[in-house]
Amino acid sequence: MQLVVARIGRAHGIKGEVTVEVRTDEPEVRLGPGAVLATDLPGTGPLTIESGRVHSGRLLLRFAGVGDRTGAEALRNTLLIAEVDPEELPDDPEEFYDHQLMDLDVVTEDGVEVGRITEISHLPSQDLFIVERPDGSEVMVPFVAEIVAEIDLEEQRAVITPPPGLIDDRAVIASARDVEQDGAGDEAPDGGGHGAPGRAGEAR
């Protein structure tokens, strides 16, 4: 099975080094000297890592056969792909590979269905779950301990504790309360504009 482990950034210096955006929790394993990686661009790979070092908080790599800035710039935005055994698991039990998280059901701690993970987006600051809701809309859930309370691979679900505004359930509850108040009054607005409760019914 293939996993994206990094994206090549800009060239660094004149000797062929490049910055990389790391997309693996095990860079010392996946991006160490001697590693041979496939690429997403035909004709550019496979690439063999010749050396690596950290500079100003960024990982710099040099590949065999790439010895100048021109060659390094030609690799910019290339994805680096490692071949991984599907049965292999990270050493840290709190870490997960993307393929383990894909298609997990996402629910809140009180059992409310949110949706299903369809994509994991790796940003420089954090990872995001892209969750498709039953009505076809999407919500982005930061993969941080404060929000993702549990990953249960046996039950194939991710349990989250969303803050206000992350998902629309709290807004739905407020809208439903408004409907009740309007119905009790003498002058309810025409149409009400309360589309959210209907969508909430679909989402739940």
Side-chain angles (χ1 to χ4, degrees), residues 1 4 18 31 34 38 40 56 60 65 69 88 123 146 191 199:
M1 181 184 64
V4 174
V18 296
L31 301 172
D40 65 323
S56 298
L60 304 179
R69 188 177 183 88
E88 182 181 343
L123 304 179
E146 294 81 5
R199 290 196 298 273

Side-chain angles (χ1 to χ4, degrees), residues 12-175:
H12 179 83
I14 61 174
K15 297 182 179 180
E17 284 187 313
V18 296
T19 62
V20 294
E21 174 190 312
V22 177
R23 297 190 177 183
T24 172
D25 292 324
E26 300 174 308
E28 68 283 353
V29 175
R30 306 296 178 198
L31 301 172
V36 180
L37 301 168
T39 68
D40 65 323
L41 298 177
T44 62
L47 294 172
T48 301
I49 297 176
E50 191 172 84
S51 64
R53 63 189 179 96
V54 176
H55 175 74
S56 298
R58 298 294 300 273
L59 178 62
L60 304 179
L61 297 180
R62 181 184 287 116
F63 300 102
V66 180
D68 57 28
R69 188 177 183 88
T70 300
E73 280 290 355
L75 297 175
R76 191 167 184 174
N77 292 324
T78 299
L79 296 179
L80 299 176
I81 303 168
E83 191 69 35
V84 177
D85 185 339
E87 301 301 318
E88 182 181 343
L89 299 176
D91 293 333
D92 188 337
E94 297 300 318
E95 295 177 354
F96 304 88
Y97 293 139
D98 285 6
H99 71 275
Q100 296 176 282
L101 302 170
M102 290 293 292
D103 292 323
L104 293 187
D105 293 325
V106 179
V107 299
T108 63
E109 284 190 315
D110 53 3
V112 175
E113 178 187 5
V114 177
R116 178 178 59 88
I117 298 174
T118 58
E119 182 183 345
I120 293 92
S121 179
H122 300 277
L123 304 179
S125 58
Q126 63 186 7
D127 295 337
L128 291 175
F129 292 159
I130 309 301
V131 179
E132 181 178 320
R133 308 202 67 168
D135 64 1
S137 63
E138 290 184 339
V139 61
M140 292 182 290
V141 177
F143 188 17
V144 294
E146 294 81 5
I147 296 175
V148 180
E150 180 186 6
I151 298 292
D152 189 334
L153 295 180
E154 289 189 6
E155 295 294 330
Q156 285 290 286
R157 68 177 187 175
V159 181
I160 66 172
T161 55
L166 182 65
I167 58 176
D168 59 6
D169 296 273
R170 289 171 177 79
V172 168
I173 292 171
S175 297

